[in-house]
Amino acid sequence: MSSVRRTALIAAAVVFAIHLVANPHYGFFRDELYFIICGMHPQLGYVDQPPVVPLLAAFTQLFGHSLVLLRAVPALFAAGGAYVTVMLAAELGGGPFAQVFAAIAFLSAPVLLSFGMKVSTDEVGLWTWPLMVLLAVRLIKGADPRTWLVLGAVAGLSFESKYSVLFFLAALVGGLLLVPQRSIVLNRWFAAACGIALLIALPNFIWQAQNGFPMIELLRAGQNGKNEIAGPGLFLLQELLITGGVLSLVWIAGLAWLCANARFRFLAFTYVLLIAMMIVLHGKHYYPANIYPALFAAGAVAVEGWTSHVRVLRPIAVAVPVLFAIPLVPLALPVLSETQFVAWVKAFHLPVGAGETEPGRDSGSLPGDWADMHGWENFAATVQRVYAALPADQRAKAVAKTSNYGEAAAIAFFAPGVPVISGHNQYYLWGTRGYDGDVLIDVHGDCGASLHLFRATRLAATIRDRWAIHYENNVPVMVCTGIKQPLQALWPGVKDYE
């Protein structure tokens, strides 16, 4: 085994071990519950994501609830990302120092830590985006053109994990077309790679087409009020923050080094094009984040070269950005208890809600993601108690309706005996499940009070949790009986794609 592969394997093992220990704390995240439930209803696509991540999430829960197994999946992709980052540093000409430094930067960047911490559609890109860069670098260096076929397959897999890879691929091809080596794109193997990627992506595209392209409707909703819209200056500042503040100097050095290196300049163009598209299209700050392992690798190579005659500076070059990144770790990994986290934030004066991309998710004492890992079991248990307390004749036709997919998925996961529906995203397409709504447990609703939809309503319970995100605290659970219109007729009005 070569020393490069040995270093890459060690880096992957360390990253996996750290995530395996640090990840499974607090509880299941809202989106994780949703992914699991979606994956338990296998389809070629879903309203708000391709199928790969839901299927992986559901697979981990086949033998019972396990947060450890669930979060081992993003840990594996993070390990794969660390492996490829080391290999990429070596491919760019880096020696042992650059390879180790690249791995340390990968592990220390808050946004990459976060992607490797919980199940999300970004987890697969931790591995596939740097891998596609690695393959492109090898092609630039004269690798067999059939390498394009591998890149095409990886691109297809990435698309089946998250649609935003299309912007990365457009930027990558654009970057290659802007350099003198553009001939590597203008050949039959590149065309074949495009064919492979399209073939892998086709089933999901067909599903989206058959369902009226709901993802486009959802993205429009995000741009029209759901997401915080950042201008160019704020977006670039956010990129610095999510990559570790002082640690971002490493990838900035990498970007400068790539600009000065004619052989690998295409990667600098790729980054600039990708960021420009994200700014113009009002993307969230973390959408392009899986490009940073490649820039960290380039930065590590740059620092190695700049310190080749003053090697005493190398430990400082590594230690300074990492030390500044350490206080940010509890914002990316759930390694502290709730009370310890609050104390940590106060001690380092950290802005808890600074990284939120949606208005209203700043939960006060805990960041939105941490707060959204609390309260779900109690949430489902409360609804289950209300359902169980119904008279037998009412319980036989009762169904719970929730305001969003997180609430619905929590009930489906933790209280599977309670039938649940929702108008939110994929749940809307699953419809009323045959229930007429004559006995409805309205979770986080008011039984349509303004429309006088029911003959009788009552407050059956209120859901409370100290650490839950604020809009999932003090949630009313209403029992509504005697619906005046069939639920099926009302269903188009509950559609909520966002």
Side-chain angles (χ1 to χ4, degrees):
M1 181 186 297
S2 70
S3 60
V4 175
R5 290 189 181 277
R6 187 178 300 111
T7 301
L9 283 172
I10 292 172
V14 169
V15 168
F16 181 70
I18 289 173
H19 276 293
L20 202 62
V21 172
N23 287 359
H25 298 101
Y26 297 158
F28 290 86
F29 181 60
R30 169 194 305 271
D31 289 1
E32 291 176 325
L33 294 169
Y34 178 52
F35 291 140
I36 292 167
I37 300 304
C38 284
M40 289 179 175
H41 298 79
Q43 297 179 205
L44 295 175
Y46 303 91
V47 165
D48 40 4
Q49 72 261 331
V52 166
V53 171
L55 292 174
L56 289 174
F59 179 76
T60 67
Q61 306 301 298
L62 289 179
F63 304 104
H65 298 178
S66 175
L67 191 60
V68 172
L69 285 179
L70 181 72
R71 296 206 176 141
V73 174
L76 279 171
F77 284 113
Y83 181 93
V84 175
T85 299
V86 171
M87 298 298 292
L88 184 54
E91 202 69 45
L92 292 172
F97 170 78
Q99 295 159 27
V100 173
F101 191 14
I104 292 172
F106 177 93
L107 179 59
S108 303
V111 68
L112 303 181
L113 275 175
S114 179
F115 286 178
M117 181 275 296
K118 68 178 186 298
V119 171
S120 73
T121 52
D122 295 292
E123 67 187 20
V124 179
L126 268 177
W127 169 61
T128 58
W129 286 32
L131 179 56
M132 285 186 280
V133 172
L134 175 63
L135 294 171
V137 167
R138 288 177 175 173
L139 284 163
I140 282 285
K141 293 175 67 176
D144 189 325
R146 286 173 291 188
T147 301
W148 273 118
L149 303 181
V150 180
L151 199 156
V154 176
L157 172 63
S158 293
F159 178 87
E160 291 286 12
S161 306
K162 187 166 185 176
Y163 300 122
S164 61
V165 72
L166 291 174
F167 300 107
F168 166 72
L169 292 170
L172 179 62
V173 173
L176 289 168
L177 289 173
L178 287 172
V179 296
Q181 305 98 315
R182 64 180 63 88
S183 60
I184 70 166
V185 176
L186 306 175
N187 61 62
R188 57 177 178 152
W189 295 111
F190 172 75
C194 292
I196 291 172
L198 289 171
L199 188 63
I200 295 172
L202 185 60
N204 181 254
F205 179 84
I206 292 173
W207 186 94
Q208 283 281 331
Q210 288 175 335
N211 289 277
F213 292 103
M215 189 65 192
I216 294 176
E217 185 176 341
L218 185 145
L219 289 173
R220 285 175 182 157
Q223 291 181 331
N224 294 319
K226 181 186 177 184
N227 300 336
E228 297 277 8
I229 304 300
L234 178 57
F235 189 90
L236 293 174
L237 176 61
Q238 289 173 334
E239 295 306 293
L240 300 180
L241 294 175
I242 67 173
T243 50
V246 175
L247 184 66
S248 65
L249 292 174
V250 179
W251 69 257
I252 292 172
L255 184 62
W257 182 83
L258 290 168
C259 288
N261 191 307
R263 196 177 199 185
F264 304 125
R265 192 171 295 145
F266 80 93
L267 187 51
F269 289 139
T270 297
Y271 177 77
V272 172
L273 289 171
L274 178 62
I275 294 299
M277 284 189 282
M278 292 296 102
I279 291 173
V280 170
L281 297 172
H282 303 302
K284 296 182 181 181
H285 58 60
Y286 62 85
Y287 282 179
N290 280 320
I291 190 69
Y292 288 110
L295 295 186
F296 278 131
V301 175
V303 172
E304 182 179 63
W306 297 339
T307 60
S308 59
H309 299 297
V310 196
R311 297 196 175 194
V312 69
L313 294 177
R314 288 181 175 178
I316 300 172
V318 175
V320 170
V322 171
L323 286 173
F324 274 93
I326 286 175
L328 303 177
V329 170
L331 295 174
L333 293 178
V335 291
L336 300 178
S337 70
E338 293 83 354
T339 52
Q340 288 172 335
F341 179 88
V342 171
W344 184 272
V345 165
K346 289 180 179 178
F348 287 95
H349 305 286
L350 300 176
V352 171
E356 298 296 347
T357 58
E358 298 175 13
R361 279 191 59 81
D362 180 0
S363 196
S365 56
L366 295 179
D369 281 3
W370 284 177
D372 239 348
M373 294 178 183
H374 290 78
W376 293 117
E377 287 190 65
N378 174 59
F379 189 102
T382 303
V383 176
Q384 186 172 42
R385 285 194 296 271
V386 172
Y387 178 77
L390 293 173
D393 60 328
Q394 290 189 351
R395 190 166 61 249
K397 56 182 179 179
V399 63
K401 178 189 172 296
T402 70
S403 68
N404 61 65
Y405 65 61
E407 297 169 350
I411 294 169
F413 188 69
F414 291 115
V418 179
V420 62
I421 58 176
S422 177
H424 195 196
N425 290 9
Q426 186 61 33
Y427 270 94
Y428 173 76
L429 288 186
W430 288 336
T432 64
R433 298 179 56 187
Y435 290 92
D436 62 11
D438 195 54
V439 180
L440 187 74
I441 302 173
D442 195 0
V443 183
H444 217 154
D446 61 2
C447 297
S450 62
L451 301 175
H452 306 288
L453 292 177
F454 294 88
R455 293 183 178 86
T457 66
R458 64 182 175 87
L459 178 65
T462 301
I463 301 171
R464 295 184 176 89
D465 188 280
R466 176 187 177 187
W467 297 110
I469 198 162
H470 66 90
Y471 51 77
E472 298 294 358
N473 205 359
N474 297 314
V475 172
V477 181
M478 305 286 294
V479 173
C480 329
T481 56
I483 195 167
K484 297 177 183 179
Q485 298 181 55
L487 184 58
Q488 188 64 40
L490 298 168
W491 198 247
V494 307
K495 180 182 180 182
D496 182 17
Y497 284 176
E498 64 170 18

